[in-house]
Amino acid sequence: MLAFTLRRAIQAIGVMIAVGIISFSMFRFAGDPVNQMVSMDTSGAERAAIRQSLGLDDPVIVQFGRYVANAAQFKFGISYQFRLPVTNLLMERMPATLELAICATIFAMLGGILMGVYSALRRDTLLAHAFQAISLIGISLPTFLIGILLIYLFSVTLGWLPSFGRGDVVHIGWWTTGLLTLSGLKALIMPSITLGLFQMTLIMRLVRAEMLEVMRTDYIRFARARGLTTRAIHFGHALRNTLVPVITVAGLQFGSVIAFAIITETVFQWPGMGLLFVQAVQNVDIPIMAAYLMMVSLIFVTINLVVDILYTIVDPRLRSTVSRAH
Amino acid sequence: MTDTVLSVRSLQVEFASRRGTLRAIDGVSFDIAKGEVLGVVGESGAGKSVTGLAVIGLIDPPGRIAGGEIHLAGTRIDNLPPEEMRRVRGKRIGMIFQDPLTSLNPLYKIGDQIVETIRTHLNLSELAARRRAIDLLAEVGIPAPEKRIDGYPHEFSGGMRQRVVIALAICAEPELIIADEPTTALDVSVQAQIISLIKRLGRDHGTAVMLVTHDMGVIAEASDRVAVMYAGRVAEIGPVQAVVKNPLHPYAKGLMGAIPTLAGEDKRLVQIPGSMPRLSAIPRGCSFNPRCAFAFDRCRVERPEPLAQGAQSVACHLYDNAPAESAA
């Protein structure tokens, strides 16, 4: 088990180094960073001095080494537009994005599993067909459109929910949360639905398909032959077996929820990392873009690792094959 | 017979399909007495497994029991409401399926699965159920049951898993066990152990056993009586020695002739020409007539009904002398 975790961790580090190369090369291909920092009338000597002080004259490999060493300590340099350390900027914005992503994922998991189980067990009911239709909408409508439609309905027409921003937030250490105030909670509803709807329909379809598959297996037939109650068969046996692949997909999707948050955050002017990134792109603020790339990759890789480990907890067969293989 | 556990009368099972209704079981009747093992043999698709599933009430749509009656110890069970039938399953009828590798839920410890089944049917505490589960595992021959009870199915070999499945089937002391090809997926050396285990359990607890298989060796070894099925009907039924040594129905004769023996190795194996008809194209008259070497005109028109021949009963016109005499 430990060897398995270790091996996966080493693989994860390999992935991060590869991402580091891409992120580093952004600096080299997006023009001369010195030009971004100085004004028009800076002399050649001053430019050379800046170049010297930033170490831009060193060989590429040395620069890359320095970049990786700094990145490993979460130092991503100074933002061109804000003149502040990128790490501080990201940390400041992270709680907003994470809260949004977590709420969206919880919404997607709850809704997706409930609807999926229902439409698998009551396949021919009207409600099951309605769920299927909704899922088609959720999968095919683009996120920004859903966001705009929600704003139009609940903010503009009905005036129930705020159309942008995070509402009032409470500071807990460096973390800011909108979960403790009413306006924060209200502000969270529409962005969460917008961000989570696609995942919800995905999970719903997956749960439905898996559940139908599991219901056909021998051990479900045997469970029925043992006279277990329908409830025990559906929720004790079938659902747990269904959840194994669902955990993987939902876990991996959490990464893309954070990545997709860019669009949702833009639509709702949500003060998270995604919005920061969009602004960075507009202003060619490469340190932020590079750091954001590293950050999202780190989240993806970490989630992958966690999902692999979770897998072995849910499915005992993997536990022993894992320990036997090493 | 007063100690009849299972009585099946003119059972019919139909499957609705796009091309019309297919009759998988057409008028099957048999009895199983307390402590008796009835072997049910036949080719694939003869309706052996469907008969077993019909008895335990697990025929899924589009299939349905279309006619006949099933009685368990005097109570009719084929028309029970679903919830009452569920209580019969596992409690009064235990079932063993073909593949022990897929019969157990891979995510649960075997002990949890046994305790769950015990507590569904018997009013026992968690602890008492666990103690009973350990006793059951010991009874089906699993070594160190108090340790193995916390194992997961994948930690057991095929034969051991089938023993667990058997423990699950008998955990509420059922009156009847339906074993559907219980040894087909197992090694030959393990097959014998499982067969003798099922036989011993039947004897010790007075349980009636319906043993479905296509393996004549298993039948000869384990059962008291045997029913030979063909195309959804019982061709011949009788004491196992009589049917094996002296089969009456031409199909049963063919089946016995097709068994390789270790002794007379110079003897050629007899083949039955052709194959069993599909359900959508069962011939008129006796369903075996196109493959039968003894078929005559009447076989192609009239369906033979079971006739008593000593202890055996056979559905074949060859043994029906009465109309021939009256015609003469």
Side-chain angles (χ1 to χ4, degrees):
Chain A
M1 186 68 210
L2 188 71
F4 168 78
T5 312
L6 217 65
R7 205 173 55 136
R8 282 297 153 93
I10 290 168
Q11 285 172 353
I13 290 169
V15 171
M16 284 314 292
I17 288 175
V19 173
I21 293 173
I22 296 168
S23 149
F24 172 71
S25 58
M26 277 168 67
F27 286 96
R28 305 204 63 83
F29 289 109
D32 186 351
V34 175
N35 280 344
Q36 305 281 338
M37 287 184 234
V38 297
S39 55
M40 295 284 278
D41 50 353
T42 312
S43 71
E46 278 174 307
R47 284 169 195 258
I50 293 172
R51 197 177 297 279
Q52 178 73 39
S53 72
L54 290 175
L56 293 175
D57 293 333
D58 296 336
V60 175
I61 191 80
V62 174
Q63 288 190 45
F64 178 64
R66 196 160 47 218
Y67 179 78
V68 169
N70 282 334
Q73 301 165 58
F74 293 103
K75 284 192 220 152
F76 293 101
I78 309 287
S79 154
Y80 299 158
Q81 40 171 346
F82 296 100
R83 307 278 164 195
L84 285 168
V86 170
T87 314
N88 293 6
L89 287 168
L90 280 175
M91 288 302 258
E92 200 181 288
R93 306 294 191 101
M94 194 160 59
T97 297
L98 281 184
E99 257 174 28
L100 176 61
I102 289 167
C103 286
T105 301
I106 291 171
F107 162 72
M109 292 274 275
L110 281 181
I113 291 173
L114 287 176
M115 286 162 73
V117 168
Y118 184 87
S119 50
L121 295 181
R122 301 260 180 281
R123 221 181 333 166
D124 294 319
T125 58
L126 205 64
L127 194 58
H129 288 298
F131 285 161
Q132 285 291 94
I134 291 171
S135 81
L136 211 63
I137 295 172
I139 278 197
S140 44
L141 271 193
T143 313
F144 66 88
L145 189 61
I146 294 168
I148 291 168
L149 287 175
L150 285 177
I151 290 175
Y152 182 74
L153 184 62
F154 291 104
S155 304
V156 180
T157 311
L158 296 169
W160 290 353
L161 297 167
S163 62
F164 68 92
R166 227 186 143 191
D168 298 328
V169 292
V170 176
H171 291 264
I172 302 170
W174 61 273
W175 188 274
T176 58
T177 178
L179 293 173
L180 299 174
T181 64
L182 187 66
S183 71
L185 286 173
K186 273 169 85 177
L188 203 52
I189 294 174
M190 286 200 300
S192 300
I193 292 174
T194 306
L195 186 56
L197 195 65
F198 177 80
Q199 321 293 334
M200 184 185 82
T201 53
L202 193 76
I203 291 172
M204 183 209 133
R205 287 176 161 254
L206 182 71
V207 167
R208 179 178 179 272
E210 280 294 327
M211 190 96 173
L212 287 175
E213 190 70 39
V214 168
M215 288 306 287
R216 274 195 292 268
T217 57
D218 283 354
Y219 55 82
I220 294 297
R221 202 162 57 123
F222 186 54
R224 292 173 62 201
R226 282 189 275 148
L228 300 185
T229 58
T230 318
R231 197 190 164 81
I233 292 170
H234 288 168
F235 297 102
H237 288 266
L239 187 59
R240 183 161 171 195
N241 288 274
T242 302
L243 287 183
V244 175
V246 172
I247 286 176
T248 325
V249 171
L252 295 180
Q253 285 291 320
F254 186 69
S256 42
V257 165
I258 290 175
F260 268 117
I262 292 178
I263 297 167
T264 308
E265 286 182 7
T266 310
V267 171
F268 288 94
Q269 289 296 301
W270 189 263
M273 294 189 298
L275 198 59
L276 183 71
F277 176 76
V278 171
Q279 288 164 357
V281 170
Q282 281 159 359
N283 296 312
V284 204
D285 196 344
I286 292 172
I288 290 184
M289 287 156 67
Y292 182 80
L293 180 66
M294 293 288 278
M295 192 97 147
V296 169
S297 319
L298 182 67
I299 291 169
F300 259 96
V301 165
T302 312
I303 289 166
N304 252 314
L305 195 64
V306 171
V307 166
D308 276 343
I309 294 166
L310 260 187
Y311 227 44
T312 60
I313 292 171
V314 178
D315 194 335
R317 281 170 299 182
L318 291 169
R319 235 173 282 164
S320 61
T321 46
V322 160
S323 51
R324 219 179 291 140
H326 298 278
Chain B
M1 276 191 287
T2 48
D3 55 354
T4 302
V5 174
L6 179 72
S7 169
V8 174
R9 285 286 159 271
S10 328
L11 179 70
Q12 292 184 336
V13 176
E14 290 178 349
F15 286 85
S17 82
R18 218 172 295 166
R19 276 175 290 162
T21 306
L22 303 178
R23 189 162 286 177
I25 302 290
D26 191 5
V28 164
S29 302
F30 60 87
D31 293 308
I32 309 180
K34 200 165 186 283
E36 182 183 57
V37 180
L38 175 75
V40 180
V41 274
E43 289 169 70
S44 308
K48 311 172 303 243
S49 297
V50 176
T51 307
L53 289 173
V55 170
I56 201 167
L58 282 181
I59 301 276
D60 284 323
R64 66 184 190 98
I65 295 176
E69 292 181 9
I70 301 168
H71 294 263
L72 182 66
T75 338
R76 188 166 172 191
I77 58 166
D78 58 290
N79 56 357
L80 286 180
E83 180 57 22
E84 277 176 53
M85 193 59 211
R86 175 187 72 71
R87 270 189 259 268
V88 170
R89 284 196 289 268
K91 172 99 179 81
R92 298 185 60 194
I93 308 176
M95 183 135 191
I96 302 162
F97 286 110
Q98 179 171 356
D99 192 350
L101 301 182
T102 55
S103 287
L104 298 166
N105 190 331
L107 303 189
Y108 288 91
K109 292 174 184 171
I110 59 144
D112 292 344
Q113 300 191 43
I114 301 175
V115 167
E116 179 187 29
T117 315
I118 292 173
R119 298 197 65 195
T120 302
H121 297 296
L122 306 173
N123 191 15
L124 288 179
S125 70
E126 184 82 33
L127 200 72
R130 191 180 157 87
R131 235 176 283 134
R132 187 181 165 86
I134 292 173
D135 291 345
L136 281 165
L137 289 176
E139 185 171 2
V140 297
I142 287 182
E146 58 288 330
K147 241 170 63 190
R148 300 291 275 163
I149 190 169
D150 289 317
Y152 287 95
H154 69 269
E155 296 167 349
F156 291 77
S157 68
M160 282 297 155
R161 266 190 246 189
Q162 195 62 305
R163 286 173 195 265
V164 173
V165 169
I166 292 170
L168 276 160
I170 62 165
C171 71
E173 295 265 332
E175 295 142 73
L176 171 71
I177 296 175
I178 300 171
D180 187 355
E181 311 251 4
T183 57
T184 308
L186 301 173
D187 286 348
V188 179
S189 55
V190 182
Q191 283 183 4
Q193 296 171 5
I194 296 295
I195 287 303
S196 68
L197 172 65
I198 293 174
K199 230 170 119 177
R200 177 168 59 85
L201 292 172
R203 203 177 50 228
D204 292 357
H205 298 263
T207 317
V209 179
M210 176 176 166
L211 179 64
V212 174
T213 177
H214 58 245
D215 187 336
M216 280 310 300
V218 168
I219 293 284
E221 165 67 26
S223 48
D224 303 308
R225 288 193 310 136
V226 56
V228 179
M229 285 190 73
Y230 185 81
R233 323 192 76 211
V234 175
E236 180 168 352
I237 185 167
V240 69
Q241 283 312 315
V243 176
V244 172
K245 291 257 164 59
N246 178 30
L248 299 176
H249 195 284
Y251 175 66
K253 282 185 177 148
L255 209 56
M256 305 307 154
I259 304 167
T261 51
L262 287 177
E265 267 169 75
D266 50 340
K267 212 176 81 185
R268 253 185 101 82
L269 289 180
V270 187
Q271 289 181 31
I272 306 175
S275 58
M276 209 173 62
R278 282 183 307 168
L279 289 180
S280 54
I282 290 182
R284 220 159 83 91
C286 173
S287 49
F288 187 60
N289 83 66
R291 301 171 73 185
C292 183
F294 309 98
F296 53 101
D297 291 344
R298 194 180 167 197
C299 303
R300 289 181 257 278
V301 191
E302 192 187 330
R303 234 172 62 165
E305 295 304 323
L307 297 164
Q309 290 285 314
Q312 286 154 272
S313 161
V314 57
C316 180
H317 290 313
L318 288 175
Y319 301 90
D320 187 6
N321 301 317
E325 280 166 3
S326 67

